[in-house]
Amino acid sequence: MKIFSIFLAFVLSFSLCGCYDSKEIDETAYIIALGIDKAGSSGFNYTFQFSAPLATTNHEGGGGEKEGDSKENPTVRNVVINAPDFYTAKNLTNNFLSKTVDMSHLKLIVFSASVDQNGFSQHSQFMLREREVRPHTAVALSTATAEEFLKSINPELEANTAKYYELMSLRSNNVYSPTKQLSDFVDEISSESGVSCLPTASPGGVAQPSAIQSSANGWISIGDTNIKSQKARMQGMAVFKKGQPAAVLDGNFAMIYNILNRDIKSCIITLKNPRLKDSFLSFRLNIPHPAEYSLDNTKKPCHIKISQGFDIEFFGNNLPSGFSSYDELFSFADRSITQQISEYFYELSRGCRADIMKIGDSFKKSFLTSEKFLTSSWESMFTSAEFDVDICFI
Amino acid sequence: MSDINTKNFISFENRSFYFVLINLLTFRIFSRLPSLFPKFSGSAAALSALFSGVIAFGVIFLISLSLKKHNSPNLADAAFAVFGKIGGLIVCIISAFCLLLSATVTLGELCHLAKAISFPASPFWFVLLFFAVSAAWGASRGVDALARTHSIFVPVIVLGLIVLIVSTVFRGNLSNLVPIFGSGAEAVFGKGLSGTVMYTDLLVFFLLIPPKSKAPIPLKKILTASATGILLTCLFVLALNLSVSPSIISNDSFPFYLLMKEVYYGRFFQRIDSLMLLISSLSGMLYLSLNASAFSHVAGRIFNPHRQKLIPPFYIAGVSIFTLLANVLSSKIIGFLFFAFAFAGILLVIITLFFAKRRVPDENI
Amino acid sequence: MNSGNLNPDKNNFDENNPGINSYIKNNIQNKDSFAYRTGKVSPVLKENYDFLRDAFDADKNFDIVFRMFKVNLDSEFVDAFLIFYDGLSNKEYVNRDLLAPLMSGRLKIKSPCETLEDSIHQCIISQAPNSRISQLKNIIELVGFGNCAVFVDGCSCAFVADIKGWGSRSVGTPLTEAVLSGPQEAFCETVMTNIALVRKILKDPNLIAENIPVGTVSKTPCALMYINGITNKKLVETARNRLKSIETEYIFSSADIEMFIEESTVFPLPQLLKSERPDRVAAQLSDGKVAILVQGSPFVLILPASAGDLAEASEDNYVRIAEANFMRFVRLIGCFLALFLPGIFISIALYHHESIPTDLLFAIEASREQMPFPIALELIVMLLSFELIKEASIRVPDPIGSTLGIVGGLILGQSAVSANIASPLLIIIVSLSALGAFAAPSASVSRALSVLQFWFILFGTLAGFLGLAFAIFTLAIYLASGTSFGVPYLSDIANPFFVIPIWRREKRPRNLNPQSVRKQPHISRKWKGDV
């Protein structure tokens, strides 16, 4: 037993020549955001945003609100590298940095609209398979270039930019843009239809909707996408079809998307008072469950019924002018919301032609095997469907 | 202070055998094998796993019934009693090959999993060193000590698995479960049957049962433990089916690793990779030690029983060399051999114990 | 061994005992005397006197007292002497209970059948317990232990009176097992007092205290205590055999006995319990364990010990169940922190950065930016520094102890952080780990945890959580394969988690295999039916 223990200790001593994966924390540089832009005919511009910990711990937060002041975010360092693929770019970062690059705290991946279908698919799959990257990493689409968006990020209330990204991508926080995680995005664009959606991210300064409209793909701009702001923001959503962006929807439609998916548990909607000029009515909607979809494909075209319940609350001490009772007020709210949701579905069906609400999943239930579902041509059914929206206030 | 010398066998007097069984039936969760279910069955992976689980439980139930009627349930001893000296030797040799292949595949997979989770730059032999030394050490201390260690670690491993399953199953997407028959009934109930390979390591248990025990064999507890292990495996596949799209799972991926990455508990507990590495490593080390002990018992029956204590370290060294070689050999050959011998092992158990009823019991071996 | 003119057949001295033989061989001048030849008390007083003066080296030892006197035997005087160690025997008893009755003339031979020895024995016994011993070896041992031997001319035996009067500590309060709600008595260095402390709690006539002297020269009295009818006979026999088979010259404390009788000296955790509380020893005896009390040591050994026993503290039995369970939970957390926290920290810091919350990671990175040392080295240096402080604090004199605490804690700790030699987080880790070790219920366990944590640190540094898994597995297997007097070490591993109410402790621990399993009926609260 003694000899055996000594032998084991001898064998184990070989592990002392190891520590191959040992890394000191202060010898590592952590990427907190990644931007991917198309560069010319081949290759990409990769923007690696590194956290500067010394600046993070000394920084008190606040990016300054002076007009026209383009103060850079001191807590991050942006390195832009042109390379044919991601791993080449990652290796090239060591030409600039002395520390080992680590992606285990990557919070946000931003694509620009110039990236093609292959680029989206390839990069997102690489990221998902990458050991260090989490499947919950947020993904967004920049309305300008990803580099511009990342460089314009300068959080006011957080000292740590990574925390800013994390909190921004929390589902319950942002009403006017969806949240999309890397795993869901990869799953959706890898599917047969390649239908997905991403939040749109706009850098500070004047927005450039023409950058989207002038795309060779011939996008349709729906709603008010002309975002004017000095601050970088996430508002609106980009709809993907066949793995590439097909349309941009504004914040209102993004809110409806969030409501129907119950990605937000409550929100406040403001409707114009039809009975009084320059007057607005605010309601709080608490969403108890996601919307339910039922399909009647016996009719041609098929009918899709959308049922959603709300717990509604009116903000106001008194009954607003022009309304004789609260029943009248709430039925007005009912009609307005129903109309907005119907418009939303018609735009998805006839405009974008993309089932981002995944109504097809409930349709899938009626088939026994995947093969039968795939041959049922759900896409053509959706793009010609009639929608019945049924709202009830609890 | 026990009347029975259970040093080299699993004792039924304390509850440790319960945890040994659970570990034997669940440790394959950490291997590549659960990817068989979504690979063959698509969205019906959970259904396929449930079907395999039911079949496996049925087999265990049948074996347990025959255990009741036989007073020497240890496979090696029963084989000698049933088939005579030559037949017994053949059964022992086949069992030895089953154990060897299972250990080789397990060791290789454990090392790859550890490398995938946290050690991408480390050489393969470095990671293998820890598993091999721990298995040799564990096997050298006796099965009794191993069984006690199971009763400490297996509850922790099960708890970790439950945390993993609960964390992912409620965030999953129910639409991943439809269509209900996925790739078709034939794939689910035909090819999906190959998923029963997850439970074939029960062979180790039957090699380590005490040959002539004064304590009665607790059949109810064996069945309860088996049901628990199988249920846990099925729940794992269900969580996998709900949370990870089948398109992401490939032949080379570890489903456990993919599922583990899906866990997210807010900004503080962001990743539990290291904890999962801990529980998967512990489960693997426990299994490898038990495998080595079983092999030493079988090899002792084949060769000189007095040299039995020397066998585990050489066995582990052999397995380590095979594993390093298997890295360069075709995975298809290794995979085929593994499947073949895994099912052969369980078949041996069934046949031996089935025929054992008809022989005169208490034959001097 | 050369024994001179001694006839080996009649030699009652132990030929193989070098201690006895050395002083016989070297010191005794008259090797032809009856005493030397036979080893027994000679009827000739002078022979005994000369023998004993040589045996005790009376010319050099100034504390051995040879007091010559005359026994007043019914108007006849007989020469006699008594021998004792000044400081070990009570001189007042010598004068009052031995000399006075023998010299006062009260001694009379009452009948022709009564011998001189009988008369003297009867005279002394009314004053002090004494026994008649003829073996000189035994007399020498007893005198060395504080008894007083009386030799009378014409008697072929000596009268050894138990009038020990050495100075010793009285029953005090426990130092290492202090409790708030329980008894405050602790063992002292006198074995008889200790036996009495246990016996007064149990009051069981079946409580046996066997005397087993250990040490060929020191003959240190060791009491093997157990309850007949409860304790497993094989356990008692094993303990007895191990004690009797110890071959050494001197035994100084229970720690020596522990090292001689435990299964494995390199076992990471204690295999015998040590307690200085009589109530705890009594409770363990009633459960079927065996206790060994050693003269000169206030720590009693309780065997067998298992992992579950190490988690028990005396306080658990004196507080309410909820409090006891909470305290035990805190204690287990403390032990967990002591053992694993440094290893987990170093694994995560070197290999698993993804497990650290992002905010904390950047804070650590910022604080480590100016540190000159690698984190593993820093951790080991901090732990060793803390061990130094622990060792120093045991020996530092009280007057400067508190000042040293201020210097060490505030100035040195603060300066180390300000000078970027140590990071604040690491100091917190080391402090938590040390506090956790102190939370262990027993000092031996606390020290064991402090040593074992380095095992985890080593493998955590080598291979992160894989190394930790390896370290945990190997240690657990080693503990699982260990036994303490035949009882597997981890046999009651489930016990440490819960303290159950006393009315539910119906059976004795199963792993001890006691003769009597049940110690109270299922319904032990008879009043319950009345409510």
Side-chain angles (χ1 to χ4, degrees):
Chain A
M1 191 61 217
K2 196 175 169 185
I3 296 171
F4 178 61
S5 303
I6 293 169
F7 172 73
L8 276 184
F10 169 72
V11 169
L12 203 57
S13 64
F14 282 92
S15 64
L16 288 170
C17 61
C19 304
Y20 298 94
D21 282 287
S22 167
K23 297 185 282 197
E24 294 277 342
I25 292 177
D26 52 307
E27 291 171 7
T28 312
Y30 298 95
I31 301 175
I32 58 171
L34 174 69
I36 303 171
D37 298 306
K38 185 83 177 152
S41 55
S42 65
F44 298 88
N45 279 335
Y46 295 94
T47 307
F48 295 95
Q49 188 170 80
F50 293 94
S51 169
L54 283 171
T56 303
T57 49
N58 294 333
H59 189 59
E60 292 173 357
E65 293 200 15
K66 295 173 192 168
E67 282 291 319
D69 184 3
S70 60
K71 186 176 167 185
E72 279 189 22
N73 184 351
T75 65
V76 297
R77 299 287 178 269
N78 295 303
V79 174
V80 184
I81 293 174
N82 182 284
D85 65 272
F86 172 74
Y87 288 104
T88 310
K90 192 178 165 203
N91 290 338
L92 285 171
T93 54
N94 283 116
N95 291 356
F96 305 92
L97 300 169
S98 56
K99 298 189 177 188
T100 313
V101 171
D102 190 302
M103 293 179 67
S104 57
H105 289 267
L106 179 67
K107 305 295 177 193
L108 177 67
I109 301 170
V110 183
F111 291 98
S112 77
S114 55
V115 174
D116 60 9
Q117 178 192 4
N118 199 34
F120 279 109
S121 168
Q122 202 178 47
H123 284 101
S124 50
Q125 296 216 8
F126 277 160
M127 290 298 120
L128 193 63
R129 289 193 191 286
E130 174 62 39
R131 183 184 71 87
E132 292 170 345
V133 177
R134 289 182 57 79
H136 293 284
T137 307
V139 188
L141 183 79
S142 175
T143 52
T145 62
E147 181 186 339
E148 281 175 29
F149 174 73
L150 289 178
K151 283 184 174 173
S152 67
I153 292 287
N154 201 351
E156 292 190 347
L157 302 174
E158 292 92 1
N160 185 354
T161 309
K163 185 176 175 181
Y164 169 78
Y165 291 138
E166 279 179 316
L167 293 176
M168 279 293 278
S169 58
L170 274 179
R171 287 182 197 272
S172 53
N173 268 5
N174 199 344
V175 174
Y176 293 106
S177 78
T179 49
K180 187 60 69 177
Q181 291 170 350
L182 181 62
S183 55
D184 295 334
F185 182 62
V186 171
D187 187 26
E188 285 162 8
I189 61 170
S190 311
S191 64
E192 186 71 22
S193 57
V195 165
S196 184
C197 64
L198 284 182
T200 47
S202 306
V206 178
Q208 299 170 359
S210 57
I212 303 169
Q213 284 176 340
S214 61
S215 159
N217 297 328
W219 289 10
I220 303 157
S221 178
I222 298 166
D224 181 12
T225 58
N226 220 349
I227 305 162
K228 296 184 180 75
S229 167
Q230 296 299 324
K231 288 273 164 215
R233 59 159 64 177
M234 283 197 191
Q235 181 172 323
M237 58 199 255
V239 175
F240 278 66
K241 206 175 158 196
K242 299 284 183 205
Q244 52 189 350
V248 172
L249 304 177
D250 74 351
N252 285 329
F253 283 122
M255 183 178 72
I256 294 171
Y257 173 87
N258 285 333
I259 288 171
L260 293 174
N261 279 340
R262 203 183 176 246
D263 287 343
I264 49 172
K265 294 184 179 59
S266 75
C267 66
I268 296 169
I269 59 166
T270 306
L271 303 171
K272 211 169 173 182
N273 189 343
R275 315 279 168 89
L276 193 65
K277 196 180 167 187
D278 292 332
S279 168
F280 294 92
L281 306 167
S282 296
F283 298 87
R284 177 193 290 280
L285 297 176
N286 292 321
I287 306 129
H289 54 77
E292 289 163 5
Y293 306 100
S294 56
L295 179 72
D296 181 6
N297 58 342
T298 53
K299 298 176 187 170
K300 288 261 187 235
C302 71
H303 276 70
I304 297 172
K305 186 175 175 189
I306 300 115
S307 308
Q308 177 66 286
F310 296 108
D311 181 9
I312 192 165
E313 186 189 331
F314 172 65
F315 282 121
N317 288 332
N318 303 313
L319 195 64
S321 306
F323 289 95
S324 55
S325 66
Y326 280 106
D327 282 341
E328 198 184 329
L329 175 66
F330 287 126
S331 60
F332 161 69
D334 186 332
R335 286 194 305 274
S336 299
I337 294 169
T338 305
Q339 187 192 350
Q340 286 202 14
I341 293 176
S342 299
E343 264 182 41
Y344 170 73
F345 275 102
Y346 272 105
E347 296 305 339
L348 283 182
S349 164
R350 308 294 195 268
C352 308
R353 303 173 73 82
D355 175 24
I356 61 171
M357 302 309 295
K358 296 184 185 166
I359 301 172
D361 285 347
S362 38
F363 181 49
K364 242 200 267 183
K365 277 188 248 182
S366 46
F367 295 94
L368 282 179
T369 64
S370 310
E371 200 184 328
K372 287 185 181 162
F373 170 69
L374 289 169
T375 53
S376 67
S377 64
W378 161 250
E379 198 186 326
S380 60
M381 284 168 67
F382 178 76
T383 50
S384 60
E386 291 296 322
F387 297 93
D388 301 322
V389 179
D390 178 26
I391 301 293
C392 71
F393 293 141
I394 302 163
Chain B
M1 305 218 176
S2 161
D3 289 333
I4 303 162
N5 179 14
T6 54
K7 196 161 162 50
N8 291 319
F9 298 102
I10 296 172
S11 165
F12 287 126
E13 290 192 348
N14 51 40
R15 288 171 301 167
S16 51
F17 76 90
Y18 195 84
F19 297 108
V20 166
L21 262 178
I22 291 178
N23 191 46
L24 285 173
L25 290 168
T26 56
F27 89 96
R28 288 277 176 216
I29 285 175
F30 306 111
S31 69
R32 290 190 177 102
L33 288 176
S35 63
L36 288 173
F37 297 110
K39 182 184 158 190
F40 289 134
S41 314
S43 58
L47 184 65
S48 180
L50 187 64
F51 176 67
S52 305
V54 166
I55 298 289
F57 186 76
V59 169
I60 295 169
F61 183 72
L62 288 172
I63 294 172
S64 305
L65 284 179
S66 65
L67 275 180
K68 213 172 167 180
K69 294 178 184 173
H70 195 273
N71 65 348
S72 180
N74 181 284
L75 179 64
D77 294 329
F80 278 97
V82 171
F83 301 120
K85 197 174 175 190
I86 305 290
L89 271 174
I90 293 171
V91 168
C92 286
I93 289 169
I94 295 174
S95 303
F97 269 105
C98 295
L99 292 170
L100 183 68
L101 273 163
S102 177
T104 305
V105 167
T106 305
L107 188 56
E109 286 192 328
L110 283 170
C111 295
H112 281 300
L113 179 63
K115 277 176 66 64
I117 295 176
S118 293
F119 300 96
S122 300
F124 191 78
W125 63 262
F126 177 77
V127 179
L128 185 140
L129 197 62
F130 289 95
F131 288 107
V133 172
S134 64
W137 175 252
S140 68
R141 305 304 294 182
V143 178
D144 204 32
L146 267 176
R148 271 182 225 286
T149 315
H150 272 81
S151 57
I152 301 170
F153 289 140
V154 172
V156 174
I157 293 167
V158 166
L159 186 67
L161 281 173
I162 290 172
V163 164
L164 179 69
I165 290 167
V166 165
S167 309
T168 48
V169 80
F170 290 111
R171 292 172 194 267
N173 192 356
L174 277 172
S175 60
N176 284 348
L177 293 178
V178 290
I180 198 146
F181 283 116
S183 310
E186 194 192 322
V188 172
F189 299 112
K191 287 185 190 171
L193 206 56
S194 59
T196 47
V197 76
M198 299 217 12
Y199 310 111
T200 52
D201 289 288
L202 219 50
L203 172 71
V204 171
F205 181 73
F206 291 105
L207 287 170
L208 291 174
I209 287 182
K212 283 182 178 63
S213 169
K214 286 184 191 174
I217 297 167
L219 295 176
K220 201 171 165 189
K221 287 185 180 167
I222 289 176
L223 288 173
T224 313
S226 307
T228 308
I230 291 169
L231 182 67
L232 211 55
T233 308
C234 294
L235 284 173
F236 173 81
V237 178
L238 173 67
L240 182 72
N241 201 7
L242 281 169
S243 308
V244 183
S245 173
S247 57
I248 296 171
I249 302 172
S250 69
N251 282 346
D252 292 333
S253 55
F254 285 95
F256 172 72
Y257 173 57
L258 292 174
L259 196 64
M260 171 182 82
K261 283 173 77 170
E262 294 287 330
V263 175
Y264 182 76
Y265 268 123
R267 296 181 57 243
F268 194 79
F269 292 111
Q270 292 182 14
R271 296 179 78 155
I272 57 169
D273 300 12
S274 41
L275 281 175
M276 293 296 134
L277 172 65
L278 185 72
I279 68 166
S280 61
S281 304
L282 282 174
S283 182
M285 286 173 186
L286 286 171
Y287 170 73
L288 286 171
S289 307
L290 216 57
N291 183 300
S293 302
F295 184 87
S296 72
H297 177 68
V298 165
R301 298 308 305 274
I302 300 171
F303 304 111
N304 186 348
H306 297 292
R307 300 280 183 195
Q308 198 167 319
K309 275 190 185 176
L310 296 177
I311 294 171
F314 291 103
Y315 172 70
I316 292 294
V319 166
S320 304
I321 293 167
F322 275 133
T323 309
L324 287 166
L325 289 174
N327 240 2
V328 297
L329 287 176
S330 160
S331 61
K332 278 193 177 169
I333 299 171
I334 302 289
F336 172 74
L337 283 172
F338 166 68
F339 271 81
F341 276 95
F343 285 116
I346 280 298
L347 269 171
L348 273 178
V349 174
I350 296 169
I351 293 169
T352 307
L353 292 179
F354 179 73
F355 279 108
K357 285 194 297 185
R358 299 179 187 169
R359 297 280 296 198
V360 175
D362 241 356
E363 220 174 273
N364 287 333
I365 300 156
Chain C
M1 191 158 180
N2 185 11
S3 54
N5 293 327
L6 284 176
N7 185 344
D9 293 333
K10 290 188 182 172
N11 187 6
N12 289 307
F13 291 105
D14 187 355
E15 290 259 8
N16 295 321
N17 191 326
I20 300 288
N21 279 339
S22 65
Y23 65 72
I24 291 172
K25 187 182 171 187
N26 299 330
N27 293 350
I28 306 300
Q29 312 235 343
N30 182 10
K31 291 183 170 44
D32 292 328
S33 64
F34 175 83
Y36 185 84
R37 282 185 291 109
T38 62
K40 289 185 179 176
V41 174
S42 167
V44 178
L45 189 71
K46 183 148 189 345
E47 278 190 11
N48 296 326
Y49 183 83
D50 291 337
F51 181 88
L52 287 170
R53 278 202 73 88
D54 290 338
F56 281 104
D57 229 339
D59 296 332
K60 293 176 190 164
N61 275 325
F62 76 101
D63 60 336
I64 187 78
V65 175
F66 282 79
R67 182 101 173 253
M68 299 298 298
F69 66 100
K70 288 188 186 294
V71 176
N72 189 347
L73 180 67
D74 204 10
S75 73
E76 195 186 328
F77 291 93
V78 181
D79 288 331
F81 73 90
L82 51 78
I83 170 173
F84 61 94
Y85 272 107
D86 188 359
L88 286 184
S89 295
N90 191 323
K91 281 191 281 195
E92 195 186 321
Y93 293 162
V94 169
N95 293 329
R96 186 188 69 195
D97 299 333
L98 294 177
L99 289 176
L102 289 173
M103 293 172 74
S104 64
R106 293 204 297 266
L107 183 63
K108 284 179 175 48
I109 295 178
K110 294 186 178 95
S111 69
C113 305
E114 197 180 67
T115 61
L116 176 64
E117 288 161 9
D118 294 333
S119 302
I120 294 172
H121 178 68
Q122 289 300 319
C123 177
I124 298 175
I125 204 163
S126 60
Q127 309 290 331
N130 76 97
S131 43
R132 293 191 276 188
I133 298 174
S134 58
Q135 295 288 341
L136 281 166
K137 180 182 83 163
N138 295 343
I139 294 168
I140 291 166
E141 284 166 12
L142 288 166
V143 168
F145 201 49
N147 297 282
C148 177
V150 179
F151 291 83
V152 181
D153 196 19
C155 293
S156 56
C157 69
F159 306 93
V160 179
D162 184 3
I163 48 164
K164 297 185 190 73
W166 60 57
S168 66
R169 200 164 56 97
S170 60
V171 174
T173 55
L175 292 172
T176 59
E177 290 174 271
V179 297
L180 294 175
S181 318
Q184 303 297 326
E185 280 184 336
F187 290 121
C188 60
E189 281 75 8
T190 311
V191 70
M192 297 307 292
T193 310
N194 294 341
I195 292 172
L197 285 171
V198 176
R199 206 176 272 286
K200 77 172 181 187
I201 296 172
L202 287 174
K203 296 185 271 291
D204 188 347
N206 291 319
L207 175 65
I208 309 294
E210 288 182 23
N211 179 28
I212 302 175
V214 180
T216 51
V217 176
S218 65
K219 295 280 188 221
T220 309
C222 293
L224 183 74
M225 292 189 81
Y226 56 93
I227 300 180
N228 212 2
I230 293 177
T231 314
N232 186 299
K233 285 183 181 171
K234 204 172 160 196
L235 174 65
V236 176
E237 199 186 311
T238 309
R240 191 187 296 120
N241 288 343
R242 289 194 191 184
L243 275 175
K244 285 186 172 174
S245 58
I246 296 173
E247 281 209 14
T248 186
E249 286 191 6
Y250 298 96
I251 288 288
F252 298 107
S253 70
S254 58
D256 297 345
I257 300 279
E258 184 188 5
M259 260 192 274
F260 271 113
I261 64 175
E262 65 184 355
E263 249 102 351
S264 165
T265 313
V266 296
F267 202 72
L269 292 173
Q271 291 162 278
L272 285 86
L273 286 175
K274 267 192 194 168
S275 178
E276 54 171 355
R277 298 184 61 88
D279 54 306
R280 190 170 184 198
V281 171
Q284 300 285 343
L285 286 172
S286 70
D287 273 344
K289 294 199 180 177
V290 173
I292 297 176
L293 292 78
V294 181
Q295 170 68 29
S297 176
F299 286 94
V300 169
L301 300 174
I302 304 167
L303 53 102
S306 58
D309 297 326
L310 300 180
E312 284 179 18
S314 307
E315 189 88 49
D316 291 347
N317 297 319
Y318 300 117
V319 295
R320 306 193 71 243
I321 285 301
E323 298 155 29
N325 276 304
F326 179 71
M327 285 182 336
R328 185 171 282 193
F329 174 72
V330 169
R331 217 177 294 131
L332 287 173
I333 295 285
C335 293
F336 178 85
L337 286 175
L339 204 52
F340 295 117
L341 186 62
I344 291 173
F345 171 75
I346 202 75
S347 303
I348 291 177
L350 288 178
Y351 292 90
H352 306 289
H353 299 173
E354 69 276 358
S355 303
I356 308 176
T358 312
D359 295 338
L360 181 61
L361 177 71
F362 294 152
I364 296 172
E365 192 180 355
S367 70
R368 289 205 58 78
E369 201 59 46
Q370 289 160 17
M371 295 288 156
F373 304 117
I375 200 165
L377 182 66
E378 200 181 314
L379 177 66
I380 290 172
V381 165
M382 292 302 298
L383 283 169
L384 289 175
S385 307
F386 195 85
E387 294 298 322
L388 263 174
I389 293 172
K390 258 196 324 190
E391 275 303 304
S393 60
I394 296 171
R395 290 170 195 80
V396 69
D398 282 339
I400 61 170
S402 55
T403 314
L404 200 64
I406 296 167
V407 169
L410 293 178
I411 297 173
L412 289 178
Q414 188 66 32
S415 303
V417 170
S418 306
N420 292 323
I421 293 171
S423 65
L425 180 65
L426 211 61
I427 290 180
I428 293 169
I429 298 286
V430 167
S431 310
L432 276 175
S433 166
L435 279 172
F438 286 129
S442 139
S444 342
V445 174
S446 171
R447 287 187 291 269
L449 291 176
S450 301
V451 172
L452 279 174
Q453 68 185 201
F454 287 96
W455 177 249
F456 295 99
I457 290 171
L458 171 67
F459 285 101
T461 310
L462 287 178
F465 268 70
L466 176 63
L468 265 187
F470 173 82
I472 292 170
F473 181 80
T474 47
L475 182 67
I477 287 276
Y478 193 33
L479 291 177
S481 62
T483 56
S484 172
F485 290 82
V487 175
Y489 201 72
L490 296 185
S491 52
D492 63 344
I493 192 68
N495 282 354
F497 294 109
F498 297 109
V499 180
I500 56 174
I502 192 164
W503 46 267
R504 283 193 64 184
R505 295 177 207 165
E506 298 166 15
K507 293 186 184 173
R508 294 190 166 90
R510 205 167 62 99
N511 58 342
L512 297 175
N513 213 4
Q515 294 179 60
S516 164
V517 174
R518 191 168 273 279
K519 59 180 179 181
Q520 64 193 33
H522 181 59
I523 308 287
S524 51
R525 297 181 293 173
K526 299 290 181 196
W527 58 266
K528 261 288 184 177
D530 300 338
V531 176

